[in-house]
Each structure stands twice: as structure tokens, then as C-alpha cells.
Amino acid sequence: MSSAPLAAKSLLVVTGKGGVGKSVIAAALARVLADAGRRVLVLESDPRESQHVLLGCEPSGGGVVTAAPGLFVQNVDPYAAIEERVREQVKVAALSRRICRSEAFRTFVAGAPGLSDVAVLGHALRLVAGAARGAPRVDTVILDAPATGHGVSLLEAPALVADVVGGGPFGELARDVAEYVADEERAALVAVTTAEEMPVDELLELCAALRAGVGRPPALVAVNALYPPWPGDDAPPGPHAELWRRRRAVNDRELARVRRARPGVIAELPLLALARGPALVAALAEALRPHAGGGREGRD
Amino acid sequence: MPLDVARHPLVVVVGSGGVGKTTLAAALGTLSAADGHDTLVMTFDPSHRLKDALGVGDAARDAVARVPLAAAGRLDASLLDAKSTFDRLVARYAPDEESRRRILENRYYDRLAGRLSGVLEYMAVERLFEVTRSGGYARVVLDTPPTRQALDFLEAPERITGFIESEGVRIATRDWFDASGRLKAATRLGAVGRGIEAWLDRIVGLDFLREMAEFFQAFGPLYDGFRERAHEVRRLLRDEGTLFVLVAGPGEEATADTLYFARRLLEAGHRLGPVIVNRVHPQSGGRGRAREEQPPGAALLHWLGERDARGVTDLRRLLAGRPLATLPLLAAEPSGCDELAALGRLLRSRLTAL
Ligand SMILES: Nc1ncnc2c1ncn2[C@@H]1O[C@H](COP(=O)(O)OP(=O)(O)OP(=O)(O)O)[C@@H](O)[C@H]1O
Ligand SMILES: [Mg+2]
């Protein structure tokens, strides 16, 4: 790859279809980078928090919590992120509260699509710049965004908002975010998929849209939850041998489709007999490490 | 407890993203066609192969396609496209050519019609209204959008009317700007008004506000139609003839999601039919060899089988007597018509056994 390795970027946006393992992969990547000496924050933007279960810490509840030395978690509510921007503009607390609670403002926020994506990305940029209040300085922010149906929209949002909003602080914010996300030295997209038909369909659409938009595919595609390779003639006659063989055949077929799309790096990750939690994250981090391009001691 | 078409002409398939709603909606459709009922399946995000099987590929986007199925009844399928439904709606409900043009030419509309939050959901509801009104089908099976909060879809009618009636829209649709493009209030209120204008500009940028206001104003003439239809659909979704089929993922970690869906449906006054736990790994049974001696795939499948069995047991207990059926993880996703029909038959046998 021409650009900096994943481990050297400051913003990683993790996207993918619902339930494919975005949150687990975001957590595992965070572990890999933290092990390599980076200070990492996983920014979760989903009302149902799961990073604390994965990284073994307290639930964030909106604040920054420490999961391990140099590894942090924050759950961010988009509306709160927007409110914070208003507070900064208006300065008088009582007035900004009135504005944010006014129905006109709520209508503006609800009616302007992409605005909450921009606010969350904007918050991520602040964290990277060390400018977020009450947050530690970090080298990398990993954004674990909720499934939107289509991962593209999160990345299209800044340009869209910048275009329709025009001036004002939100327009400027959107422009800053759009510029940052387009910079391949600093930001990268991590696409997570399972090797099944529908998620791969969506991944291929995402790759095509990215090529047309920012001109490059995702830096990393994590193909998650693969059945173990079928051992062929050595296979045991067990009761579910046939299911194993055919599920893996589906995996192989879909992996081939992913490869044909030529994304940056493909990481193949096994389906593991582990429940959601730190042990699963640790095991996936081991499998991801060689693909992150950081090296254990390499502080880039 | 088979799904009785006479009693439930409308079946709504709900559940979290990725659990197999679209596939099961299609399978349910083949079932009722096999029983001789003319059926329509309305889907959102079928895989490419499923689209091909149903004949709703991109060429047929938003049109109704006949599914090539050897069945006593007709099976049609349609794929929902928010933007074109929106366009149709505007065309139909705009009171005159002038307001129609004003909407369609609004810069906002063009970029955002398909993306405004809730629009896809709302458009699904609109389509549903159109289809059930037309009366061309004995049964309609409705798939729901692939978002995490798939239930938001059901609240789309309430939300849209709430939104329309909200203070915010009343404010937005007011004539804010005078001919010279200044805020009216600002001119009227002199220095104070200009102060307000200044901070509004600082926060959101007046250009943006101007665009928003124009967008909402353009929709003004459509609001009455929206509200009326939203109320109708609200009634339809709570009608005796509407049954909700809840599709759940296997395994213990999916239980919380499933219960959440069930509770929300019941609280909202909907009729919850069978819960279908989909893609359940089979149990191996017996002890077998020690785990370490097994090849990785066999050990994994054994673990998954146990995990899913625990999940189903849990869910059964927590659903306290509600009918629950399981469908096994198939060796490959069904995507052809024959495979869908086979899945439909399997589903029928599981439901009949309840
Ligand atoms: N490689 C794996 N092996 C075993 N289990 C996995 C693996 N990857 C993910 N899981 C499990 O799959 C489930 C979904 O994972 P996760 O929550 O990370 O998905 P997600 O994409 O973030 O979902 P959502 O779209 O709901 O946010 C979790 O229960 C997780 O423990
Ligand atoms: Mg998640």
C-alpha cells in the first residue's frame, strides 16, 4: 500500500452490516494498536453500549473510561455532541440550553440528515487533536459506528452536509471532517464482513462507492467468523461434517469475491468458540496483528 | 398454529438486522402462494441472488414483479425504493403543478429525499397503504428495513404526524425571510432582532436555515394528505388482520434483542404471532470425544450447537408460553425459488407443530 500502515493512522472508521462483528473487531484493533504503544480510544456511537463488555471496563455512560493503560472507551450520543458545539458558540450556558431544548433546534437537528454523523466524526477529530474536554490525549481514535444499512452514508455525510449547509459552524465542521476523512495519511476505513452473500454484496457496493468517491478502497477488510478450513479426506465422519464442509464452501466462495474486489488488506478471522468478551477480543487481536502493519514495538 | 391467511391478510416480518427477515418473508410468501392465495412480498434489501430469484433486480426497481413459481396462487414481489415512492407521492398529493415543481426542484429534496431519517420507513408505510388499498392480493407479506432499530418503522406514521404538527415545523414553515433575505423578526424587532439573527447565523448559518425553511414550506400543501394516511396506516398496523412474525438470531447473546422487540411490539398494541429463531446450529448430542481430540470444525460446531440450544431454552422460558419455532442453519442460504419454497415447507411443518 502506498499510504501509511493502519497502525500509523489517527482515525479508523469501522463499518459493516448489522451483526457482522464491527464492535468486536474495533475492540481487537484497539488492543493491537495499544500493544504496539499507541494511545487508543474506541469511540462507540450506539445507544446500546457493548465496548465495556468487550474490553472489560465500566460502561462509559458518555464519559471516557480507561480499559487498560493507553486504551480508552467512550460512548457518544450524537445529540450531545451537537449540543456541545452549540454551547461553544453561544457560551452563555442558560441560553445554549434554551436553544438546544427549543423545538426549532430539535427540528433542525432531526431534519438535517447526516448532521449527527458529522457531529460524531467531529468529536473524533477533537479527540485526535487533544481538544476534547475531559479526554486524554490519544494517537488513534477507532470509531465503532452502528449499522446504518449502508456503510457509505457515514462517509458521504460530511460532504453532503457541507454542501447543503453552506456557511456557519456546522458547515465548517462538515468541511473539516470531509477533508480529514479524505486524507489517506490520517484516516482509514475498516470494513467488516462475514463471508456470506449479503454482507459481501454490501461490502462490494461499499468498495465501488469508495473508489468512485475518495478514490481508494477500504484500507482493511476484516472477513470475520470463518469456519475452519475443511480438512478434506481427513475429515471426521461426525454428525455435522456436512454442515461444516458446506458452510466453509460458502465462506470460500465469498472470500474469492472479496479478493476480486482488491481491497487494501484482507484479514481472515476465524469463527471462535468464545462468548462475547475480552477473551474473544484477545484471540481476534492475535489474528489481526499481522495485518495492522504496526509491529509490536513499532511506535511508527 | 399455521398462519391462517383468512385471518391474517397482512403479515409483518420484524427482527434485528442480519437475522434473515428478507429470506423468511420470501419463504412465507411462497407458502401462501402454494396454498392458492395471491400474495405480494414487499422486501427491502434482498441479496443479489435473491433479487434475481424474485425477479426484482435493478431493472424492476420499485415495480412489482411476478415470481416464477409453480404454485396454485400468484406470488409477486416488490423492492422498495424510498426516492421513487416519495416522487410518486409528491406527484399525487401536490395540489397544483406549481407546488409540485417547487418541491421537486428544491435542492434539498433532490439530495435528501431518500435519506432524511425515517423516510425509507415512512415510504414503506405509504407503499403498504397503496397496496392494501388496491386490494389485489389475498395476502401481503411485509419485510422491514435493515436497520438496527427496525421497529422505528412501525412508528413512522406517528413520527411523521408528530413532526408535521410540531412547533418546529410550524416555525420553519413560517415566512421567515423578507424580500431582501433578512430575517423578518430581525427587521421587526430592530436591534434585538438583529442580535438574534446574529446568533442564529453563528450557530447554524442563515443560508442553511433559509434552505430548510423553503424545503418545509414547499411541503406545506402535502401535510394534510400525509397526516390522513399516517392515521390510516396506524390503524392498519393494529388491525386484527395484521400479524407480526418476529425473527430472532440464535444464541444467548441475541436473547436481549429478541425480548426487546417482543416487548415493544406488545406495548405498541400489535399482534405478536410466532417467534422464529433462525439459523440454529444443530446439537451434536452425546459426549463424543474430548474436545481437544476433535478436529477444530467439529469442536466449534459442537460448541455452537450447545450455545444455540441454551439460547432457545432461555428464550422459550422468557417468552412464557408464546409460540416459538426454530429453523436450522442451512448448509447454504436459500436463494433460488425452489430453495425458498423448500424453506417455506419446513417453516410450515415447524409452525403446524406449535
Ligand atoms: N470471530 C468471532 N467468533 C465468535 N463470535 C463472534 C466473532 N465475531 C463476532 N462474534 C459474536 O457475534 C456477535 C456480533 O458481534 P458484534 O456485536 O461485534 O457485531 P456488530 O457488527 O458490532 O453488531 P451491531 O451491528 O449490532 O453493532 C457478538 O455476540 C460477538 O460475540
Ligand atoms: Mg456494534
Side-chain angles (χ1 to χ4, degrees):
Chain A
M1 269 199 311
S2 54
S3 70
L6 214 57
K9 316 258 181 195
S10 41
L11 176 64
L12 300 178
V13 178
V14 182
T15 66
K17 211 173 158 53
V20 293
K22 290 180 295 300
S23 299
V24 178
I25 303 296
L29 264 176
R31 281 260 178 239
V32 171
L33 299 193
D35 288 348
R38 306 273 294 180
R39 290 169 60 83
V40 189
L41 185 145
V42 182
L43 185 63
E44 182 178 36
S45 130
D46 188 327
R48 279 189 274 180
E49 295 190 29
S50 68
Q51 286 299 336
H52 65 291
V53 179
L54 294 167
L55 289 169
C57 57
E58 316 264 278
S60 143
V64 176
V65 294
T66 307
L71 177 52
F72 309 94
V73 171
Q74 183 178 25
N75 186 281
V76 63
D77 165 25
Y79 197 79
I82 292 171
E83 272 192 32
E84 191 177 324
R85 295 279 164 166
V86 174
R87 251 195 320 275
E88 287 164 9
Q89 296 293 329
V90 181
K91 301 214 172 67
V92 185
L95 183 56
S96 74
R97 245 196 324 274
R98 265 194 58 195
I99 295 173
C100 293
R101 299 217 173 125
S102 76
E103 203 145 0
F105 188 75
R106 287 189 172 268
T107 305
F108 159 74
V109 171
L115 194 62
S116 49
D117 293 335
V118 168
V120 169
L121 283 164
H123 181 69
L125 296 201
R126 282 217 164 158
L127 287 164
V128 174
R133 256 194 300 149
R137 191 192 56 76
V138 292
D139 302 314
T140 306
V141 169
I142 300 180
L143 177 60
D144 172 21
T148 47
H150 283 278
V152 202
S153 57
L154 181 74
L155 295 180
E156 283 176 343
L160 181 72
V161 171
D163 184 30
V164 295
V165 172
F170 283 107
E172 278 157 33
L173 174 65
R175 253 187 301 281
D176 289 349
V177 170
E179 197 181 301
Y180 198 97
V181 167
D183 177 359
E184 67 177 313
E185 293 301 320
R186 295 186 292 181
L189 187 77
V190 174
V192 183
T193 185
T194 51
E196 290 178 351
E197 191 187 357
M198 294 254 308
V200 170
D201 280 354
E202 198 171 304
L203 172 79
L204 299 185
E205 274 167 34
L206 175 71
C207 289
L210 283 175
R211 281 221 165 79
V214 292
R216 63 191 144 107
L220 172 69
V221 172
V223 183
N224 190 26
L226 291 164
Y227 282 82
W230 173 248
D233 292 341
D234 297 337
H240 305 312
E242 183 61 8
L243 185 64
W244 172 11
R245 184 181 72 75
R246 294 191 52 196
R247 290 305 317 183
R248 179 65 207 198
V250 170
N251 285 170
D252 287 332
R253 184 191 74 207
E254 296 302 324
L255 264 171
R257 288 175 73 211
V258 174
R259 288 197 197 98
R260 277 200 296 278
R262 302 192 176 285
V265 176
I266 301 174
E268 297 181 23
L269 305 173
L271 176 59
L272 294 167
L274 291 166
R276 173 165 54 196
L280 175 62
V281 171
L284 290 175
E286 283 317 312
L288 269 171
R289 207 182 302 283
H291 301 286
R296 198 169 251 280
E297 54 287 280
R299 259 195 92 110
D300 61 84
Chain B
M1 202 202 101
L3 296 176
D4 178 357
V5 77
R7 276 180 49 214
H8 301 296
L10 175 60
V11 173
V12 186
V13 183
V14 293
S16 316
V19 292
K21 289 189 293 269
T22 303
T23 303
L24 288 189
L28 282 168
T30 63
L31 253 187
S32 73
D35 289 339
H37 309 294
D38 289 347
T39 304
L40 173 70
V41 182
M42 291 172 62
T43 68
F44 284 88
D45 66 334
S47 68
H48 287 312
R49 288 193 309 153
L50 187 54
K51 258 188 221 169
D52 290 346
L54 297 175
V56 290
D58 289 334
R61 201 155 180 91
D62 210 40
V64 170
R66 173 72 55 88
V67 182
L69 194 72
R74 171 163 59 103
L75 180 61
D76 286 353
S78 77
L79 180 66
L80 194 102
D81 182 64
K83 178 73 160 60
S84 52
T85 308
F86 214 146
D87 287 350
R88 234 193 355 258
L89 209 70
V90 170
R92 180 170 332 144
Y93 283 88
D96 50 56
E97 181 55 29
E98 167 63 18
S99 14
R100 197 175 72 86
R101 244 207 25 249
R102 214 174 136 204
I103 295 171
L104 296 179
E105 282 171 10
N106 183 288
R107 195 157 69 96
Y108 245 132
Y109 178 80
D110 193 46
R111 302 278 319 252
L112 306 180
R115 304 174 195 243
L116 273 165
S117 56
V119 164
L120 181 63
E121 287 85 348
Y122 184 68
M123 290 305 138
V125 165
E126 282 287 340
R127 282 282 285 143
L128 182 62
F129 180 83
E130 288 174 3
V131 163
T132 50
R133 263 300 161 84
S134 76
Y137 299 95
R139 163 167 285 172
V140 175
V141 181
L142 177 68
D143 177 21
T144 46
T147 49
R148 173 76 165 277
Q149 300 300 337
L151 284 183
D152 285 354
F153 154 79
L154 301 171
E155 281 155 19
E158 277 93 338
R159 228 160 352 113
I160 206 104
T161 43
F163 183 65
I164 289 167
E165 284 157 8
S166 74
E167 181 73 6
V169 169
R170 271 210 301 282
I171 294 172
T173 51
R174 212 184 283 156
D175 245 340
W176 281 37
F177 298 95
D178 63 21
S180 59
R182 300 210 59 106
L183 269 185
K184 272 188 175 166
T187 358
R188 211 168 44 242
L189 297 176
V192 181
R194 270 189 294 281
I196 296 175
E197 184 176 85
W199 69 246
L200 261 178
D201 195 17
R202 217 166 55 217
I203 298 171
V204 293
L206 279 186
D207 283 345
F208 182 48
L209 220 53
R210 229 168 255 132
E211 294 250 4
M212 285 267 284
E214 207 187 284
F215 180 68
F216 286 120
Q217 278 168 23
F219 272 98
L222 269 69
Y223 286 161
D224 284 342
F226 268 136
R227 190 173 338 177
E228 209 172 286
R229 291 154 72 83
H231 286 308
E232 290 270 345
V233 170
R234 192 192 133 82
R235 204 171 315 133
L236 174 66
L237 289 174
R238 285 172 180 75
D239 190 88
E240 264 189 285
T242 301
L243 190 71
F244 286 77
V245 170
L246 174 55
V247 184
E252 297 159 296
E253 279 153 14
T255 305
D257 266 10
T258 310
L259 291 174
Y260 168 81
F261 269 90
R263 204 192 58 227
R264 285 249 329 247
L265 285 170
L266 292 170
E267 277 172 7
H270 297 298
R271 277 170 188 72
L272 178 57
V275 176
I276 300 173
V277 185
N278 194 24
R279 310 185 89 208
V280 175
H281 286 85
Q283 264 182 299
S284 314
R287 297 293 100 69
R289 280 179 289 173
R291 218 185 178 196
E292 308 75 59
E293 291 167 24
Q294 290 179 10
L300 176 67
L301 283 168
H302 177 79
W303 185 85
L304 292 167
E306 295 303 311
R307 180 200 67 175
D308 291 358
R310 280 195 305 275
V312 171
T313 308
D314 264 8
L315 193 59
R316 218 184 270 288
R317 179 171 51 80
L318 292 164
L319 285 173
R322 244 165 221 297
L324 179 152
T326 63
L327 282 178
L329 173 69
L330 300 175
E333 303 308 314
S335 51
C337 283
D338 296 344
E339 292 158 4
L340 282 176
L343 181 63
R345 286 191 296 274
L346 178 60
L347 188 55
R348 186 206 305 275
S349 70
R350 296 286 163 104
L351 290 173
T352 314
L354 290 178

